[in-house]
Amino acid sequence: MVREKLYNRAQRLSCVLPLNVLGLVLWGIPGVRALNNGLAMTPTMGWLHWERFMCNVDCKEYPDSCVSEQLFMQMADLMVSDGWKDAGYEYLCIDDCWMAATRDSKGKLQADPERFPGGIRRLANYVHSKGLKLGIYADVGNKTCAGYPGSFGYYDIDAKTFADWEVDLLKFDGCYCDSLKHLADGYKYMSLALNRTGRSIVYSCEWPLYAWPLQKPNYTEIQEYCNHWRSFGDVLDSWQSIKAILDWSSSNQGTIVNVAGPGGWNDPDMLVIGNFGLSWDQQVTQMALWAIMAAPLLMSNDLRHINPQARALLQNKDVIAINQDPLGKQGYLLRKEDNFEVWERPLSSLSWAVAVRNVQEIGGPRFHMISLFTLGKAVACNPACFITQLLPVKKELGFFQWSSILKIKVNPTGTILLQINTPN
Ligand code: GAL
């Protein structure tokens, strides 16, 4: 189903860029390294409206959940009052459906005047007054995925508009563009255009996601132009969706893992913790594996109505510290056996994070035995180590030897997240 969705999406590609114009810009500057913006040195953290609020523009029927200035101001207030900002969630991000149906008389994008009466600049000022940053959304092609004005042919104007509004992040979607070449040219052009504004704007791309149906993306090139990039289909509020993302990520880890690092991250899409579709164990699995994968932590939920357990999970400082580890190396699937997956991630100060996921979806909790010398390329616990369980609850497991065997119990669809420290 997901592959078909991607193919259908690829068919919607229809922007055609005048290559001669691009040639002057992109190839006029020898050896240009477009993106060295010093941003996203650790994975971006924040809140993004799409999965929970989608393209709901009916503020009469849904005054509290339509895509509006009010929604973002309320989320900004809660990000400060409820500890989200203190936990590291910094970027409050608008997704599709914020725009008016047409550009203004000068060809500039404009916010829907009813839903955003103060405009984006005023919303940005409000968000900045809370010590947060504001993200916005646009599209490389002729239209956004929901049919609002696309940036094709307006890259410089739109980049300057976003900078004038003091926006801090741009999520750039890939709908309605006709070919791989034009897709790549558009993403590169917008990267340069944002750079030229002189404002620090995190650049979140969907370039590989739209490239895959046409050919294997050039991740080295993508990493040069984007701060993070989506490669796989949209996350849904369902265990099926989380499993599909994890399976795609592990199946393609040989291609994507080594490209990630400070300034450029693989983005497996939003955290749906605190919504409706995942059990507690499955929410733990998403949080644990997004930490292992060094993924941007962009929640999409309703901070006005989130249960305390989900909030504690999302604000877990030990897990966030793994996600934000300064070494910036993405983790990977080490092995799969007996319906368990063992993932590991090298951390700074010779530590390792290890996630043990019970793939089985029948029966009860099961034991898994791990020979510690098999972890961390045989050095995670060499000659000895101290192991702490971080999820689903924090528990010090104590000191172990290189030759020790760790026995842990994992619930069906759940994950145990460990941190292995070599005593210094
Ligand atoms: C999709 C994108 C989603 C969301 C949506 C908006 O292409 O993957 O994350 O941005 O468009 O229409």
Side-chain angles (χ1 to χ4, degrees):
M1 187 274 274
V2 177
R3 188 170 296 281
E4 184 192 309
K5 197 176 160 197
L6 278 182
Y7 180 69
N8 294 337
R9 177 176 282 169
Q11 285 192 315
R12 290 206 312 252
L13 301 173
S14 69
C15 77
V16 178
L17 288 176
L19 275 181
N20 56 335
V21 172
L22 275 172
L24 290 177
V25 175
L26 288 179
W27 291 279
I29 311 163
V32 66
R33 269 185 66 83
L35 188 59
N36 188 9
N37 62 12
L39 300 174
M41 300 313 282
T42 61
T44 302
M45 289 181 66
W47 184 91
L48 176 58
H49 97 241
W50 184 255
E51 193 284 324
R52 181 59 187 264
F53 297 97
M54 299 180 72
C55 193
N56 180 351
V57 294
D58 182 355
C59 292
K60 289 187 178 53
E61 191 66 27
Y62 299 96
D64 296 331
S65 53
C66 60
V67 178
S68 68
E69 174 185 86
Q70 175 191 285
L71 178 71
F72 291 96
M73 287 181 165
Q74 286 180 349
M75 293 304 156
D77 294 346
L78 290 164
M79 284 177 77
V80 174
S81 62
D82 289 8
W84 300 100
K85 175 174 176 284
D86 291 342
Y89 294 93
E90 181 180 18
Y91 287 80
L92 176 61
C93 300
I94 306 167
D95 207 288
D96 206 344
C97 308
W98 62 272
M99 298 173 189
T102 61
R103 291 174 175 268
D104 70 12
S105 56
K106 299 192 182 75
K108 288 173 64 176
L109 288 173
Q110 52 188 345
D112 179 277
E114 282 177 29
R115 293 185 282 119
F116 292 85
I120 300 300
R121 185 198 306 274
R122 188 176 78 173
L123 178 57
N125 290 343
Y126 186 83
V127 168
H128 293 154
S129 75
K130 297 285 179 179
L132 299 167
K133 291 187 165 60
L134 182 71
I136 204 161
Y137 167 102
D139 188 291
V140 74
N142 299 300
K143 290 188 283 186
T144 73
C145 297
Y148 290 87
S151 292
F152 153 60
Y154 293 90
Y155 297 140
D156 286 304
I157 295 175
D158 291 352
K160 193 176 177 322
T161 301
F162 297 146
D164 290 348
W165 289 345
E166 298 193 343
V167 162
D168 306 292
L169 177 146
L170 171 63
K171 173 175 174 179
F172 210 40
D173 211 337
C175 281
Y176 297 103
C177 194
D178 79 332
S179 75
L180 190 68
K181 180 106 189 66
H182 299 139
L183 187 79
D185 290 346
Y187 271 101
K188 291 181 198 175
Y189 196 109
M190 182 52 105
S191 185
L192 283 168
L194 290 171
N195 208 271
R196 274 198 298 277
T197 68
R199 181 172 177 80
S200 292
I201 298 177
V202 173
Y203 188 36
S204 167
C205 302
E206 298 213 19
W207 182 354
L209 168 56
Y210 290 86
W212 268 112
L214 305 169
Q215 81 173 39
K216 182 176 177 179
N218 176 346
Y219 279 95
T220 307
E221 186 177 49
I222 291 165
Q223 187 267 347
E224 271 192 43
Y225 288 90
C226 303
N227 288 121
H228 31 92
W229 47 86
R230 284 268 313 281
S231 293
F232 189 65
D234 293 2
V235 71
L236 305 175
D237 187 12
S238 78
W239 181 232
Q240 176 72 25
S241 169
I242 301 300
K243 284 192 293 182
I245 291 169
L246 290 175
D247 291 347
W248 186 90
S249 300
S250 55
S251 305
N252 293 277
Q253 64 186 14
T255 301
I256 65 172
V257 163
N258 288 333
V259 175
W265 309 98
N266 291 292
D267 179 358
D269 213 354
M270 295 160 273
L271 291 168
V272 293
I273 294 162
N275 289 312
F276 310 97
L278 301 185
S279 70
W280 166 244
D281 284 299
Q282 293 158 5
Q283 293 178 80
V284 167
T285 294
Q286 187 184 27
M287 191 71 186
L289 271 303
W290 263 235
I292 290 282
M293 294 193 291
L297 298 181
L298 294 169
M299 307 178 282
S300 194
N301 49 27
D302 189 341
L303 301 178
R304 299 165 298 192
H305 313 289
I306 186 164
N307 75 54
Q309 204 180 34
R311 175 174 158 185
L313 177 60
L314 287 163
Q315 294 185 0
N316 185 310
K317 61 181 179 9
D318 297 315
V319 181
I320 290 171
I322 289 175
N323 176 268
Q324 298 287 298
D325 182 79
L327 185 63
K329 282 195 168 299
Q330 180 171 337
Y332 46 85
L333 174 64
L334 178 63
R335 62 171 173 269
K336 182 169 183 174
E337 62 192 17
D338 182 25
N339 254 340
F340 284 98
E341 288 184 348
V342 179
W343 296 65
E344 65 181 18
R345 175 182 176 176
L347 304 173
S348 50
S349 63
L350 300 177
S351 297
W352 287 78
V354 174
V356 184
R357 176 186 165 210
N358 181 353
V359 180
Q360 197 159 281
E361 300 186 0
I362 186 172
R366 292 189 301 138
F367 284 113
H368 186 59
M369 322 286 270
I370 303 180
S371 300
L372 293 182
F373 68 83
T374 65
L375 298 178
K377 305 187 192 319
V379 298
C381 187
N382 187 2
C385 59
F386 189 85
I387 302 179
T388 306
Q389 176 183 297
L390 301 180
L391 288 178
V393 291
K394 187 166 186 176
K395 197 167 36 173
E396 295 192 348
L397 303 185
F399 285 99
F400 293 82
Q401 306 290 327
W402 186 74
S403 54
S404 304
I405 293 179
L406 185 64
K407 180 179 177 184
I408 48 171
K409 188 190 275 189
V410 197
N411 293 347
T413 75
T415 295
I416 299 286
L417 182 64
L418 306 169
Q419 181 153 354
I420 303 179
N421 291 317
T422 43
N424 42 23

